């Protein structure tokens, strides 16, 4: 092993030096693909690599700089700011003056720079002082300012496949010059598969775990048991609260429930838990699903969702998580209706559009003599005193909105009965002459 002063992590030591050594991202680097053509031809352009950790973003940036003999500078948005940006720009200017060559400025975690910091790059990207290559794990559409994004080409990197990760691990074991410090180690096939699986598409994670295993192994064989001990802390999947994966997965869960697929619903629920999501957050979203996508087609869904939320708060894991799973499966299988959700949005829109329409006099409360003298509550019909507890023909909307309808029950679940009941009541309204001509029909 190298001296402590010279130590570099395994993932850095065996970083691919050329396209032949690079593993994965075939959709970008296959023969004839634009990014490969740009690298092979040495034609520089500013870009941003968007993808999960350990997929080769930094390595590709270095390859691009090497392909055109450009100076490679790197700054991190986690550690740097305007001062570091200016220093890099100054260095790029000097390099151009002395060597008449380009500079590739690699900006890691580019999404962490604020608007003012991102603005600082614009004139230098525009005039060619630097070729900007950003790396981000977040959606650049949301995290990079439009002025900067419009000057960049976005390349989307995909998580490495199991086969990709296994190839990276095998290379680390066989690369005598840069690999495991000259040690000839072997890895059991089952251990290899387990290590590749726990890496979850992240080559750096796989290599870091392999390096830990090599420090612990006593013989020349890394066993499945040793890998199990190394990863015993559990592998955290790609899931960052507030990040792209977070919203993608909750969206997938919601849409699977809406699509009446209990198996997919359970899978995405499990993925979120496996990634470390707070079960209470999922419970809150499940309540939303019950109202938005099931509604009165099966009102029991909302109660079941609330019960699951309460169980999670009272008992915690694993009982609460199982109760949430029960609610998720129930709602995936329940009849669907967004009629209440649609009606609510329509009513809100109507309230905004028509302003502060006055409450009709007959619906107003009259607790004082003055109010009664002003006809507050006059001619109000108390529904319980009418036949069937229904005041046929009565109007409960402001002037100008009489007969307006927002709620249209579906022909699914309990809303079948609700629709039948409302149609009966509307027929009674039509027979009453009090508001003849104001009813809107379906």
């Amino acid at each position: 092993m190298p001296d402590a002063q010279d130590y570099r992590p395994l993932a850095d030591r065996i970083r691919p030096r050329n396209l032949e050594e690079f593993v994965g991202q075939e959709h970008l680097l296959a023969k004839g693909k634009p990014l490969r053509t740009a690298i092979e031809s040495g034609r520089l352009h500013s870009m941003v690599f968007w993808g999960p950790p350990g997929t080769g973003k930094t390595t590709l940036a270095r390859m691009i700089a090497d392909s055109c003999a450009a100076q490679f500078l790197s700054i991190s948005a986690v550690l740097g700011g305007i001062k570091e940006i200016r220093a890099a720009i100054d260095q790029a200017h000097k390099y151009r003056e002395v060597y008449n060559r380009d500079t590739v400025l690699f900006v890691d975690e580019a999404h962490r720079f604020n608007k003012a910091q991102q603005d600082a790059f614009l004139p230098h990207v525009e005039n060619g002082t630097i070729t900007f290559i950003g790396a981000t794990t977040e959606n650049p559409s949301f995290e990079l300012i439009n002025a900067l994004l419009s000057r960049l080409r976005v390349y989307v990197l995909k998580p490495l496949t199991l086969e990709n990760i296994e190839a990276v691990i095998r290379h680390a074991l066989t690369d005598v010059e840069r690999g495991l410090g000259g040690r000839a180690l072997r890895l059991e096939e089952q251990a290899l598969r387990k290590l590749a699986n726990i890496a979850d598409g992240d080559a750096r994670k796989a290599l870091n775990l392999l390096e830990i295993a090599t420090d612990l192994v006593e013989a020349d064989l890394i066993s499945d048991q040793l890998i199990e001990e190394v990863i015993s802390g559990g592998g955290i999947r790609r899931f960052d609260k507030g990040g792209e994966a977070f919203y993608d997965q909750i969206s997938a869960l919601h849409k699977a429930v809406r699509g009446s697929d209990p198996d997919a619903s359970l899978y995405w629920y499990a993925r979120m838990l496996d990634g470390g999501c707070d079960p209470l957050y999922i419970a809150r979203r499940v309540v939303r699903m019950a109202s938005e996508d099931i509604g009165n087609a099966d009102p029991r869904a909302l109660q079941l969702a609330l019960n699951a939320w309460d169980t999670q708060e009272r008992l915690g894991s694993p009982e609460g998580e199982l109760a949430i799973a029960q609610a998720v499966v129930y709602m995936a299988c329940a009849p669907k209706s967004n009629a209440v959700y649609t009606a609510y949005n329509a009513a809100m829109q109507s309230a905004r559009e028509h302003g502060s329409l006055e409450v009709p006099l007959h619906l107003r409360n009259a607790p004082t003599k003055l109010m009664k003298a002003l006809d507050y509550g006059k001619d109000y019909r108390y529904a319980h005193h009418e036949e069937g507890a229904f005041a046929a023909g009565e109007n409960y909307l402001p002037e100008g909105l009489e007969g307006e309808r927002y709620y249209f029950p579906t022909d699914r679940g309990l809303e079948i009965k609700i629709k039948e009941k409302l149609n009966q009541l509307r027929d009674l309204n039509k027979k009453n002459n009090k508001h003849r001509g104001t009813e809107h029909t379906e």
Side-chain angles (χ1 to χ4, degrees):
M1 292 293 290
D3 294 337
Q5 291 181 334
D6 302 324
Y7 171 74
R8 291 163 55 208
L10 175 61
D12 186 53
R13 294 201 306 272
I14 67 165
R15 188 184 298 277
R17 295 164 293 192
N18 51 56
L19 289 174
E20 285 64 38
E21 292 181 356
F22 196 90
V23 175
Q25 313 308 330
E26 290 82 2
H27 64 294
L28 298 177
L29 299 174
K31 290 287 187 181
K33 295 294 183 179
L35 183 56
R36 184 183 185 108
T37 301
I39 294 174
E40 291 178 335
S41 65
R43 293 197 301 268
L44 286 174
H45 62 270
S46 291
M47 65 191 76
V48 59
F49 293 133
W50 170 30
T55 52
K57 297 185 287 293
T58 304
T59 298
L60 283 174
R62 290 182 179 275
M63 283 185 185
I64 291 171
D66 291 343
S67 71
C68 55
Q71 175 183 213
F72 181 83
L73 300 179
S74 177
I75 59 175
S76 171
V78 176
L79 303 175
I82 292 292
K83 178 181 177 182
E84 286 71 23
I85 295 172
R86 288 174 177 168
I89 298 300
D90 289 342
Q91 193 170 343
H93 276 300
K94 293 176 182 177
Y95 195 77
R96 173 66 60 83
E97 291 173 358
V98 175
Y99 298 105
N100 193 30
R101 288 184 178 176
D102 296 316
T103 294
V104 168
L105 179 57
F106 177 68
V107 182
D108 199 15
E109 304 288 342
H111 60 278
R112 294 182 181 269
F113 273 139
N114 60 34
K115 181 182 184 301
Q117 291 165 330
Q118 292 184 39
D119 278 334
F121 292 109
L122 293 176
H124 311 292
V125 173
E126 190 72 27
N127 64 24
T129 300
I130 58 170
T131 296
F132 179 100
I133 301 183
T136 177
T137 57
E138 301 297 335
N139 190 331
S141 299
F142 303 133
E143 304 297 338
L144 299 185
I145 61 174
N146 288 334
L148 180 59
L149 189 58
S150 67
R151 292 163 170 80
L152 309 176
R153 178 161 183 175
V154 177
Y155 292 102
V156 181
L157 276 67
K158 299 178 180 180
L160 299 184
T161 65
L162 284 175
E163 292 74 17
N164 292 153
I165 297 292
E166 289 180 2
V168 169
I169 295 171
R170 293 183 192 278
H171 175 66
L173 291 169
T174 56
D175 190 327
V176 177
E177 178 186 352
R178 300 181 299 152
L180 302 175
R183 300 177 66 184
L185 297 177
R186 294 178 295 118
L187 187 64
E188 288 183 355
E189 282 299 313
Q190 186 173 349
L192 174 64
R193 287 190 295 272
K194 184 171 294 184
L195 188 56
N197 183 64
I198 203 68
D200 200 30
D202 184 338
R204 186 186 304 108
K205 182 176 181 180
L207 292 171
N208 288 342
L209 292 172
L210 176 62
E211 189 167 25
I212 294 172
T214 61
D215 291 339
L216 298 176
V217 68
E218 296 179 356
D220 63 351
L221 178 65
I222 301 175
S223 66
D224 177 60
Q225 181 179 354
L226 178 58
I227 292 298
E228 186 65 39
E229 293 175 3
V230 169
I231 64 177
S232 59
I236 302 300
R237 303 297 181 184
R238 289 187 304 278
F239 187 87
D240 179 19
K241 185 174 182 180
E244 182 81 7
F246 178 84
Y247 291 110
D248 283 348
Q249 290 180 29
I250 192 63
S251 175
L253 171 59
H254 196 148
K255 288 169 182 173
V257 169
R258 180 183 297 149
S260 300
D261 189 331
D263 301 298
S265 300
L266 273 178
Y267 170 78
W268 291 116
Y269 171 57
R271 276 287 302 275
M272 295 187 77
L273 290 180
D274 182 56
C277 182
D278 183 356
L280 288 174
Y281 170 81
I282 303 176
R284 183 170 66 84
R285 290 301 298 259
V286 168
V287 169
R288 166 79 183 211
M289 297 172 200
S291 290
E292 179 178 339
D293 292 295
I294 298 169
N296 287 335
D298 188 348
R300 294 170 296 183
L302 179 57
Q303 187 58 59
L304 190 62
L306 290 170
N307 288 344
W309 189 346
D310 186 52
T311 302
Q312 177 64 40
E313 286 191 321
R314 288 171 178 266
L315 301 181
S317 176
E319 292 84 359
E321 292 165 5
L322 180 59
I324 297 171
Q326 179 184 349
V328 166
V329 170
Y330 183 90
M331 282 186 287
C333 298
K336 302 300 187 296
S337 171
N338 71 340
V340 171
Y341 176 68
T342 302
Y344 168 75
N345 289 333
M348 287 296 295
Q349 183 65 25
S350 184
R352 295 188 188 102
E353 289 179 353
H354 293 94
S356 301
L357 297 178
E358 291 190 348
V359 175
L361 283 174
H362 71 284
L363 297 181
R364 298 187 190 185
N365 189 30
T368 69
K369 290 182 179 180
L370 174 62
M371 291 176 173
K372 290 178 181 177
L374 294 173
D375 290 338
Y376 281 31
K378 184 180 179 180
D379 296 329
Y380 169 65
R381 298 164 61 192
Y382 189 57
H384 292 288
H385 290 167
E386 306 262 347
E387 183 178 355
F390 179 66
E394 183 65 290
N395 171 57
Y396 298 97
L397 283 166
E399 184 178 350
L401 291 182
E402 298 94 334
E404 190 70 40
R405 287 185 59 187
Y406 306 110
Y407 178 47
F408 295 88
T410 67
D411 294 318
R412 295 181 292 276
L414 181 62
E415 282 196 322
I416 296 174
K417 296 292 185 182
I418 295 174
K419 186 174 184 178
E420 292 174 355
K421 176 67 175 178
L422 289 179
N423 286 338
Q424 291 174 5
L425 298 180
R426 289 183 183 119
D427 286 341
L428 290 174
N429 279 334
K430 291 177 182 178
K431 294 175 183 178
N432 189 289
N433 294 328
K434 182 176 182 181
H435 295 289
R436 183 181 299 274
T438 62
E439 270 295 309
H440 294 182
T441 58
E442 291 187 62

